[in-house]
Amino acid sequence: MEQQKLPNATAVLILGIVSIIGCCCYGLPGLIAGIIALVLAKKDGELYRKNPTAYSNYGQLNAGKIMAIIGIVLSILYVVYVVVMISTLGWDAMKDPQLMQERMRELMGK
């Protein structure tokens, strides 16, 4: 019996990579890509568990799933960082580097 490839393994791998890269864009693209990758990985994982000998690229699926989890964690951390920065420095300071430095000096007590 010839082995076939899991239908979404490549998509999961690509979305896992995008989720890691996307965490740098305020976290939202990475979070979205990571969640989509996990949903697709779950579907393919169920296919693989039903008949493991029929599929050849489970390693690719697993690698994409791990990257998606890493991307989600990084994205959540970045979102938390941005929320903390906005709440302590203000939105206007996020747009103006000079104002951000002034407010950081105020927070440090200098």
Side-chain angles (χ1 to χ4, degrees), residues 15-32:
L15 286 167
I17 294 168
V18 168
S19 73
I20 292 174
I21 294 169
C23 73
C24 299
C25 302
Y26 294 103
L28 196 58
L31 198 58
I32 293 168

Side-chain angles (χ1 to χ4, degrees), residues 25-98:
C25 302
Y26 294 103
L28 196 58
L31 198 58
I32 293 168
I35 290 170
I36 293 170
L38 285 182
V39 169
L40 292 176
K42 183 179 179 191
K43 289 179 183 177
D44 274 10
E46 289 171 1
L47 275 176
Y48 181 79
R49 279 187 282 287
K50 287 179 185 174
N51 192 1
T53 58
Y55 300 103
S56 64
N57 60 342
Y58 182 73
Q60 186 179 12
L61 178 73
N62 205 28
K65 183 178 175 183
I66 291 168
M67 284 192 280
I69 292 169
I70 292 169
I72 288 172
V73 169
L74 290 174
S75 295
I76 290 171
L77 289 174
Y78 197 81
V79 166
V80 169
Y81 169 75
V82 168
V83 168
V84 168
M85 290 295 286
I86 290 173
S87 66
T88 56
L89 300 176
W91 181 251
D92 52 338
M94 296 296 286
K95 297 177 185 176
D96 184 7
Q98 222 171 11

